[in-house]
Amino acid sequence: MRSLGVFRYSGRALELVWGTSKALTFIMAGLTLIAGLLPGGIAWVGKQLIDAVVAGQISGDSAEALRWLGIEAGLIVAMAASQRGLGVAQSLLRAQLGHRVNVMILHKAQTLDLVHFEDSEFYDKMTRARREASSRPLSLVNRSFGLVQNGISLVTYGALLLQFSGWAVLVLAVAAVPAFVAETKFAGEAFRLFRWRSPETRKQMYLETVLAREDYAKEVKLFGLGGELVRRYRDIFGVLYGEDRDLTLRRGLWGFLLGLLSTVALYGAYAWVAVAAVATRITLGQMTMYLLIFRQGQGAFSAILQAIGGMYEDNLYLSNLYEFLEQEVAPLNGSATQGPDPRDGIRFEDVWFTYPGATEPALRAVTFHLRPGTRLALVGHNGSGKTTLIKVLTRLYTQDRGRILLDGLPLEEWDPAVLRARVGVIFQDFVRYQFTVGENIGMGDVDRVTDQAGIVQAAERGMAAPFIETFPAKYDTQLGRWFKDGRELSIGQWQKVALSRAMMREKADILVLDEPTAAMDAEAEAEIFQRLADLTEDQMAILISHRFSTVRMADHIAVLHQGALVEEGSHESLMEQGGRYAHLFTLQAKGYQ
Ligand code: ADP
C-alpha cells in the first residue's frame, strides 16, 4: 500500500513530539479537535440565524435572530482563539523539537565507526538528517494535525449535508477520490525522484563549499577554477531543474483536470440545493448553510490534498532520519583494564585489512613486536599502508584477520576508554580547531582542557611555547579565521600545536606521530625526535617520517611495501642487508651531498 506511505512516519513523528513536550502536544491535539468541529457548528448556527431572521420578518420579533447572532460571534471568537493557540504551540514546539532532533543526530554521530563517515551514502544520510532537523519533524506533525482538523470538518459537513441528501454526500465523496489518488501518486513520484538524485545534490553542496570557503579560496583563485566550478554547479542545476519541471507540469495538469471533476460534482450539488430552495423543500437558512458547507468543504478538501503532497517530503526526511539513527553500530564492548603481561608491549600477528569496497588489501600479513621503551619508525612509499597500520592499532578500523595484542591481550578485549587513554596520536591530517591556542592543546586531554599549567608544559614539550609566548594574548589567542580576531598559523606552527596536544596526554604510554612533522624544518623534526628519546621505561613511540636523518635515530625500523612488512631491524642491520631500506636511505643521502 504505497499510498499509505504518507502516514508511515506520522506515528513516529507524533512520538517524537510527545517525547519533546507532552503538555504542548496535548494542547495541540485539543485545539485541533476544537478547530475541526467549529466550522460545522458555525455553518449550522448561520442557518439558525437566517431562519430566525425569516421568521422574525413575519412575527416582527428580532430577539431570536440576535441570540443566534451572538452565538455565532462567540463561535468565531473561539475559532480565532483555537487557531492562534495552535500557532503559538507550534512555534514553541518548533524550537524544542529542532534542538532535540539535532542532539539525537549528534549523539548518534559519536557512536559511529570511522567506516561510516567514509561511506558516501551514509554520510549523505547524516548530512540530510542534519540539514532539515529543525523544520521537518514539526512540519509532519503540523500537516498530520491539519489533516485531522480538516478531516473532522469534512465529517461534520457530511453529517449536516446528510439531512439534505445521502446521495449528495456520496457523489461529493466519490468525485474527490481521483484527485486524492493523483496527489498521492505524484507525491510518491516526487519522493522517489528526490531520493534517487541525492548524489547530484551532494555534488552541488560540495561545489558550494569549495567556492565559498576560506580554506579553498587560495587555490580556487590562483588556478582560476571559479568559472569552471560555477559552470559545473549550473549544469547540475540544469539537469535537476529539467526533471523538476516535468514533474511539476504533469502534477499541475492532472491536479487541475481531476480537481475539475470535483468542482463539477460540487456545482451539480449546488444546483440541486438551489432548485430545492426555490421549490421551498428546504428553508433559506438551510440553503445558505449547504452553500457555505460546499465552499468550505472544498477549501478543507484542497487543504487535505496539499497536506498529503507535503507529507511525502516530510516522510522522506523522517525515513532518512530514522535510517540514520537506527544504523547498526558494532559496539566496542571489551572490558579489560589491564593485560596479563604489561611488559609485552604491542604485537601484530598476521594482521590483514582491506578497506570496504577496495579490491587490494591495505595490510597483508603484518607481524611485528614492539617492546615498551622502544621507538619504532615506519618507512615506505605513499600508499604502502603506514597510516592504515596506525588506524587498526588505534581501533579506528578492525582488522579482517590476525590479532593485535597489547600487554598480551587482544585489542578487542580492552575497555575502549582505557585503550584510548593509553594512546596519544597525531595524524598527518590533524584537526586545526578554531579555538584558542590553549584550548587547541588542552583538547589533548579532555579532562584537563582548562589546566593552564599542564597546557604550558605540553606546549614546551611540543615546541609550540616559544612562538605562543610572542602572541599578545599568549595562550588565549584565538586561532583560525572563522571567529573574531582569529590568527592564522603557518603549517609548521600548526604541527607544533598538534604535537603539543599529543603531549597533553601524559598518561598515554603509546605515542604515535604520523608525519606530523613533515612541514617543520629538519632541525625541528630531529629535536622532536630527540625528545622522544626521553621516553620512560614503559612508553612506546611509533613515528612515520620520510626523513631518513630522523628515521635512523629509531631503535627499530619497519619497512612497508604494498601493505606487507618487508624488512625490519635497526638502521645498521638494515643498511648491512642492502635491501629496500638501504636503497632508499642512500638515495636520500645522495641528495644532500
Ligand atoms: P601511507 O600512510 O603509507 O601513505 P595508507 O595507509 O594511507 O598509506 O594507504 C594504504 C592504501 O589504502 C592505499 O592504497 C590507499 O589508497 C588505501 N586507502 C587509504 N585510506 C583509505 C580509505 N579511507 N578508504 C579506502 N582506501 C584507503
Side-chain angles (χ1 to χ4, degrees):
M1 286 288 280
R2 170 146 276 149
S3 57
L4 280 185
V6 277
F7 304 113
R8 194 184 310 149
Y9 285 96
S10 295
R12 305 197 76 164
L14 199 63
E15 239 172 70
L16 205 60
V17 174
W18 180 251
T20 305
S21 168
K22 293 191 177 44
L24 283 173
T25 318
F26 206 70
I27 291 173
M28 276 178 70
L31 291 176
T32 300
L33 190 69
I34 295 173
L37 287 173
L38 279 177
I42 292 170
W44 182 78
V45 171
K47 165 194 160 278
Q48 300 299 78
L49 172 63
I50 290 181
D51 284 346
V53 168
V54 173
Q57 282 176 336
I58 297 163
S59 69
D61 181 5
S62 59
E64 182 71 3
L66 288 177
R67 200 164 66 83
W68 285 113
L69 195 74
I71 294 176
E72 183 171 315
L75 291 185
I76 294 282
V77 170
M79 184 74 195
S82 64
Q83 249 149 15
R84 189 44 75 102
L86 271 175
V88 170
Q90 280 169 8
S91 305
L92 293 180
L93 208 53
R94 177 174 305 128
Q96 285 192 35
L97 194 61
H99 179 66
R100 188 178 142 102
V101 173
N102 270 319
V103 170
M104 278 162 73
I105 294 172
L106 295 177
H107 264 305
K108 179 69 185 184
Q110 297 314 298
T111 68
L112 296 175
D113 293 332
L114 192 60
V115 182
H116 290 124
F117 286 91
E118 290 176 349
D119 172 352
S120 63
E121 224 169 277
F122 185 78
Y123 185 73
D124 192 36
K125 260 184 218 165
M126 180 163 70
T127 318
R128 285 204 316 246
R130 273 175 41 210
R131 211 170 23 187
E132 297 178 314
S134 44
S135 58
R136 284 295 178 189
L138 185 70
S139 162
L140 182 57
V141 170
N142 284 349
R143 286 192 171 118
S144 304
F145 275 114
L147 206 69
V148 171
Q149 180 188 332
N150 285 303
I152 293 176
S153 297
L154 278 185
V155 169
T156 61
Y157 295 154
L160 290 171
L161 197 59
L162 218 48
Q163 295 173 352
F164 174 67
S165 158
W167 286 110
V169 178
L170 190 69
V171 167
L172 287 177
V174 168
V177 169
F180 249 125
V181 172
E183 194 52 47
T184 11
K185 174 181 155 357
F186 285 118
E189 215 170 298
F191 176 102
R192 282 188 295 281
L193 188 66
F194 192 86
R195 248 194 118 87
W196 162 75
R197 71 158 53 145
S198 69
E200 280 90 2
T201 323
R202 190 166 4 128
K203 215 174 278 172
Q204 241 185 343
M205 263 168 44
Y206 176 69
L207 288 171
E208 278 172 35
T209 312
V210 174
L211 281 164
R213 248 185 50 185
E214 112 275 8
D215 34 355
Y216 294 93
K218 202 167 17 140
E219 258 198 53
V220 170
K221 256 191 196 326
L222 292 183
F223 282 123
L225 295 179
E228 168 66 18
L229 296 181
V230 170
R231 190 184 61 68
R232 291 186 185 194
Y233 185 78
R234 282 211 181 110
D235 287 350
I236 297 176
F237 172 78
V239 173
L240 297 184
Y241 176 74
E243 293 166 353
D244 271 352
R245 188 190 46 207
D246 289 350
L247 181 63
T248 308
L249 288 179
R250 272 187 301 135
R251 198 173 180 168
L253 187 67
W254 279 106
F256 171 70
L257 289 179
L258 296 175
L260 211 56
L261 194 69
S262 310
T263 311
V264 168
L266 187 76
Y267 271 83
Y270 237 100
W272 189 358
V273 166
V275 169
V278 169
T280 64
R281 271 194 291 116
I282 57 174
T283 67
L284 260 186
Q286 277 172 320
M287 184 189 84
T288 320
M289 178 177 80
Y290 294 142
L291 299 189
L292 187 66
I293 284 176
F294 288 150
R295 212 167 300 136
Q296 290 192 346
Q298 207 179 24
F301 180 65
S302 54
I304 287 180
L305 287 188
Q306 254 179 11
I308 291 177
M311 274 167 89
Y312 247 114
E313 280 170 30
D314 298 338
N315 269 287
L316 182 71
Y317 171 79
L318 283 191
S319 72
N320 177 64
L321 175 71
Y322 280 105
E323 269 171 39
F324 169 75
L325 291 177
E326 281 158 13
Q327 171 74 37
E328 299 252 348
V329 180
L332 297 176
N333 53 7
S335 59
T337 53
Q338 59 184 47
D341 185 2
R343 298 292 315 153
D344 195 50
I346 299 167
R347 272 179 199 275
F348 270 56
E349 292 178 352
D350 190 30
V351 171
W352 292 73
F353 177 74
T354 307
Y355 282 100
T359 46
E360 290 291 309
L363 293 179
R364 304 168 197 259
V366 174
T367 301
F368 70 87
H369 183 197
L370 181 63
R371 278 178 215 288
T374 45
R375 295 168 300 170
L376 169 74
L378 289 177
V379 181
H381 289 298
N382 294 328
S384 57
K386 304 182 295 293
T387 302
T388 309
L389 189 148
I390 303 302
K391 286 182 184 163
V392 294
L393 172 65
T394 48
R395 296 225 67 199
L396 290 173
Y397 291 105
T398 303
Q399 71 276 14
D400 309 323
R401 254 173 68 188
R403 297 203 302 170
I404 304 172
L405 303 149
L406 174 63
D407 298 349
L409 193 71
L411 290 187
E412 295 77 22
E413 291 174 29
W414 282 89
D415 175 342
V418 172
L419 199 57
R420 230 168 276 143
R422 288 189 56 177
V423 182
V425 57
I426 292 295
F427 285 104
Q428 45 192 327
D429 53 352
F430 59 85
V431 181
R432 302 166 186 199
Y433 295 101
Q434 307 255 336
F435 300 143
T436 67
V437 64
E439 286 167 330
N440 255 286
I441 296 173
M443 291 290 162
D445 185 350
V446 76
D447 298 326
R448 294 195 299 144
V449 175
T450 51
D451 171 4
Q452 284 309 323
I455 288 172
V456 172
Q457 209 179 14
E460 275 160 8
R461 292 176 62 202
M463 307 212 312
F467 70 85
I468 295 175
E469 295 291 341
T470 66
F471 297 158
K474 301 226 160 48
Y475 286 85
D476 292 327
T477 308
Q478 169 71 39
L479 296 190
R481 289 254 176 259
W482 283 31
F483 302 105
K484 195 169 170 296
D485 297 331
R487 180 180 186 125
E488 199 42 272
L489 301 180
S490 78
I491 299 179
Q493 286 174 327
W494 270 116
Q495 286 184 340
K496 288 177 181 171
V497 169
L499 208 61
S500 308
R501 181 152 71 234
M503 297 299 174
M504 200 64 197
R505 296 180 85 85
E506 281 174 343
K507 282 173 246 141
D509 56 353
I510 305 168
L511 207 57
V512 182
L513 308 180
D514 179 358
E515 284 189 66
T517 46
M520 294 184 198
D521 40 84
E523 214 174 319
E525 183 178 293
E527 187 174 343
I528 281 168
F529 205 68
Q530 273 304 339
R531 286 176 189 220
L532 286 184
D534 308 339
L535 284 181
T536 58
E537 275 278 274
D538 37 46
Q539 280 184 312
M540 288 164 269
I542 301 179
L543 174 96
I544 299 179
S545 172
H546 288 290
R547 282 204 190 99
F548 283 80
S549 52
T550 316
V551 168
R552 67 180 297 175
M553 302 194 300
D555 307 306
H556 197 77
I557 297 162
V559 184
L560 282 172
H561 183 61
Q562 296 180 349
L565 207 158
V566 289
E567 283 171 30
E568 63 174 319
S570 65
H571 171 73
E572 288 72 25
S573 72
L574 286 175
M575 288 306 285
E576 238 164 67
Q577 271 183 37
R580 186 170 290 273
Y581 177 82
H583 172 70
L584 290 173
F585 183 85
T586 323
L587 209 65
Q588 205 173 73
K590 262 200 201 123
Y592 288 114
Q593 278 165 10

